[in-house]
């Protein structure tokens, strides 16, 4: 038995596993799913529509009251024509103004203030003007940018840019 080969024992390797990288990946995944979960929640916003007129009396557009409507027509040579409500039923006079601080900005601020006061008086506060901006094909891009800046300065929350002119509006721009 003396000549028996000795058993070769294998070296025992360390059974410890370095989990540092796994922990880092786990934390990154947790942060990612928390962020995605928060961003995927539906967000609501206030939709500020005009009041619905149940009787569909005049002046209305599709049974919506037009007391908050304000239209801005942009013409050639830096011309701005404005009116409140519907053109045919406008209670306010049709005005032609300019882009100066005492022109369009003053008028826009006054109209919005008047509409806000009226809305507060009837029990519906914070419902300002709904402005329709209608640039004609003869107006320039700079004029539209100036009007949008005036919307921001006058704190107008509801406005839209349209290119559909009523025949009366086209005549109004051509005549002035």
């Amino acid at each position: 038995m003396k000549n028996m080969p000795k058993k070769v024992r294998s070296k025992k390797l360390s059974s410890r596993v370095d989990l540092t990288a796994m922990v880092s990946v786990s934390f990154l995944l947790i942060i990612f799913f928390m962020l995605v979960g928060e961003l995927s929640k539906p967000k609501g916003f206030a939709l500020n529509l005009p009041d619905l007129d149940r009787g569909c009396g005049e002046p209305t557009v599709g049974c919506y009251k037009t007391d908050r409507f304000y239209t801005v027509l942009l013409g050639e040579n830096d011309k701005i024509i404005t009116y409140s409500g519907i053109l045919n039923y406008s209670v306010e006079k049709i005005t032609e103004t300019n882009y100066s601080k005492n022109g369009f900005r003053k008028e826009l601020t006054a109209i919005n203030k008047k509409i806000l006061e009226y809305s507060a008086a009837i029990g519906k506060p914070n419902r300002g003007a709904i402005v329709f901006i209608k640039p004609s094909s003869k107006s320039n891009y700079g004029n539209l940018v100036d009007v949008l800046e005036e919307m921001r300065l006058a704190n107008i929350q509801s406005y839209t840019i349209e290119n559909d002119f009523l025949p009366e509006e086209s005549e109004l721009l051509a005549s002035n």
Side-chain angles (χ1 to χ4, degrees):
M1 285 225 216
K2 282 190 178 187
N3 289 341
M4 294 283 280
K6 288 187 178 179
K7 272 190 179 179
V8 179
R9 291 203 158 200
S10 61
K11 261 187 175 177
K12 287 204 172 186
L13 296 175
S14 172
S15 61
R16 297 185 131 195
V17 177
D18 187 17
L19 296 177
T20 307
M22 185 67 112
V23 170
S24 298
V25 170
S26 300
F27 278 120
L28 285 174
L29 285 173
I30 289 170
I31 291 170
F32 173 76
F33 285 116
M34 286 174 55
L35 181 66
V36 168
E38 187 63 32
L39 293 178
S40 67
K41 289 180 183 174
K43 306 284 187 221
F45 60 92
L47 187 58
N48 204 358
L49 293 174
D51 295 330
L52 190 60
D53 186 8
R54 300 288 176 206
C56 284
E58 295 296 338
T60 60
V61 174
C63 290
Y64 285 104
K65 291 183 182 178
T66 60
D67 53 358
R68 294 173 50 208
F69 291 177
Y70 185 69
T71 304
V72 179
L73 305 174
L74 306 179
E76 61 184 328
N77 299 327
D78 299 337
K79 183 185 347 181
I80 302 176
I81 298 175
T82 62
Y83 63 89
S84 294
I86 302 174
L87 183 58
N88 295 338
Y89 301 101
S90 182
V91 184
E92 302 285 326
K93 62 180 181 167
I94 297 168
T95 59
E96 183 174 342
T97 187
N98 55 27
Y99 292 93
S100 70
K101 185 177 182 179
N102 292 325
F104 181 63
R105 183 181 305 172
K106 186 176 179 183
E107 183 180 333
L108 187 62
T109 305
I111 284 288
N112 195 39
K113 182 179 178 187
K114 182 177 127 183
I115 291 172
L116 283 169
E117 287 172 355
Y118 171 73
S119 296
I122 63 170
K124 297 181 178 179
N126 301 325
R127 294 170 57 96
I130 299 172
V131 180
F132 297 95
I133 304 167
K134 296 185 176 185
S136 71
S137 58
K138 296 180 180 178
S139 67
N140 62 41
Y141 182 73
N143 291 347
L144 179 61
V145 171
D146 291 341
V147 168
L148 292 175
E149 178 65 13
E150 295 299 333
M151 294 292 135
R152 186 188 67 78
L153 292 173
N155 200 22
I156 302 289
Q157 301 297 320
S158 303
Y159 59 88
T160 183
I161 301 171
E162 296 184 3
N163 61 357
D164 295 332
F165 280 85
L166 300 172
E168 297 88 2
E169 292 172 336
S170 298
E171 291 171 15
L172 190 63
L173 273 176
S175 67
N176 286 336

